[in-house]
Amino acid sequence: MNLLNPTRPDAPHLDHLTPKAAIPGGSFEVFGSRLLRPGTPEPQIPQVFFGEAAAMLDLSRDTRALVRVPEGAIASDLVFHRDGLTSNILHANIAIPMAENLHLVSNPAVDGDGNLFAMVSGPRGERVPVSIFRIDRDLQVRPFVRDLMNVSALAFDGDGHLYASSRAEGTVYRISPHGAISMFAEGMGIATGIAFDREGSLFVGDRSGTIFKINREREIFVFATLEPSVAAYHLAFRDDGVLLVTAPTTSSNQSIHAIDPEGNATVFYRGLGRPQGMAFDADGNLYVAASLHGRRGIVKINHERQAELIVSGNDLVGLAFLEDGCAALATNTTIFHVDLGIQGRTLA
């Protein structure tokens, strides 16, 4: 008998798992049958492995289990062992680290050539040796910008210049493709999230309650006002010109705000825990780092405003889509690479 394809009728059987992927520390919900020893008052808890890495069970039932991904695990076969029997296998898609020892508070950013840029924000009011790293397509990590204080968000304009907000200084900086820094705007309060619209205007979220608009002539307007955030504003534009904003608070039932081009704010979606960085796929579905029904990760919200967890991970704060269906997932300290089979929206 092949243990990976058991024929015994009492062997555990795995049907499917969700979500689509996880980072170490996240969890997969596994559905199947006979996961516990049947017919006994004290069912034996199965042993679970991702390849050769042993995993912890956060929940175990006869037809359902919640399996935590151990540190160091990679994409591999998931298997259950019970009473000397071995289940069939399911493939588990686990993200791998591509850059570590960072301090991310929002999304990384991707330039037109597919290179990734990530911040080291640092404690408030303190400068760090390297403020922004560049991660090339060959996964080489290189210092890109030094001496910016408390970088809080990154965004590219249509000409390939990188913009960085500083929450300590209330300033937005413009950075050339070669790393030359110039001040773009100041007086932005506690400047956090930034995003460009299709006309090239830059929008800046002051987490104390204001969304600023800076047009191509660098004229500054108050575009909209929201309730203050305890952490940051995160901004992303839909293709129809509506600005979506997350503003984390201490509530577990928070909203994504939608602000139309005239500055009128409504609720786009309610029911997330601490929503943060956002990105769109090529079909216009929204992805947000948040908690859904008590589980942290990347949440997809489709056009019908139905939400599902597609990546599990306890500390995720943002994401960026890469080429070939892959994505960069950001925790506070690490960027992970994962193949989600999702095509991101092209740069404006």
Side-chain angles (χ1 to χ4, degrees), residues 92-110:
N93 189 13
I94 301 172
I96 58 171
M98 59 191 299
E100 300 178 287
N101 300 316
L102 304 170
H103 181 199
L104 296 119
V105 294
S106 62
N107 288 351
V110 183

Side-chain angles (χ1 to χ4, degrees), residues 268 280-286 300-306:
F268 170 72
F280 287 95
D281 68 15
D283 295 323
N285 299 300
L286 179 67
K300 174 185 176 181
I301 303 175
N302 65 17
H303 294 281
E304 288 72 41
R305 303 191 189 186
Q306 299 167 327

Side-chain angles (χ1 to χ4, degrees), residues 185-235:
E186 55 185 340
M188 300 286 101
I190 307 173
T192 51
I194 56 177
F196 283 94
D197 68 8
R198 294 287 181 174
E199 285 69 48
S201 295
L202 179 65
F203 291 73
V204 183
D206 165 14
R207 80 175 196 195
S208 60
T210 304
I211 307 291
F212 292 101
K213 175 181 179 179
I214 308 170
N215 65 18
R216 297 180 71 92
E217 291 72 40
R218 297 198 188 184
E219 298 171 316
I220 301 174
F221 307 89
V222 173
F223 175 65
T225 58
L226 297 173
E227 292 296 321
S229 169
V230 298
Y233 283 163
H234 302 265
L235 313 182

Side-chain angles (χ1 to χ4, degrees), residues 4 63 69 108 112 114 117 161-162 216 236 265 276 329:
L4 294 182
T63 59
V69 179
F117 294 77
H161 290 84
L162 178 64
R216 297 180 71 92
Q276 298 190 64
L329 310 174

Side-chain angles (χ1 to χ4, degrees), residues 56-87:
M56 294 283 294
L57 283 169
D58 292 328
L59 178 147
S60 183
R61 300 288 186 268
D62 188 52
T63 59
R64 173 174 166 259
L66 199 62
V67 184
R68 193 184 316 164
V69 179
E71 294 298 324
I74 61 173
S76 54
D77 291 332
L78 172 67
V79 65
F80 278 53
H81 298 280
R82 175 186 54 74
D83 295 329
L85 302 173
T86 302
S87 73

Side-chain angles (χ1 to χ4, degrees), residues 95-100 102 116 135-137 139-141 322 327-329 334-338:
I96 58 171
M98 59 191 299
E100 300 178 287
L102 304 170
L116 190 69
I135 306 166
D136 295 339
R137 293 174 63 182
L139 302 186
Q140 292 296 312
V141 182
L322 307 173
L329 310 174
T334 305
I335 293 181
F336 292 88
H337 183 277
V338 65

Side-chain angles (χ1 to χ4, degrees), residues 251-271:
S251 169
S252 61
N253 187 33
Q254 296 175 51
S255 301
I256 299 174
H257 303 277
I259 307 176
D260 68 21
E262 286 72 47
N264 302 306
T266 58
V267 172
F268 170 72
Y269 184 88
R270 187 188 304 276

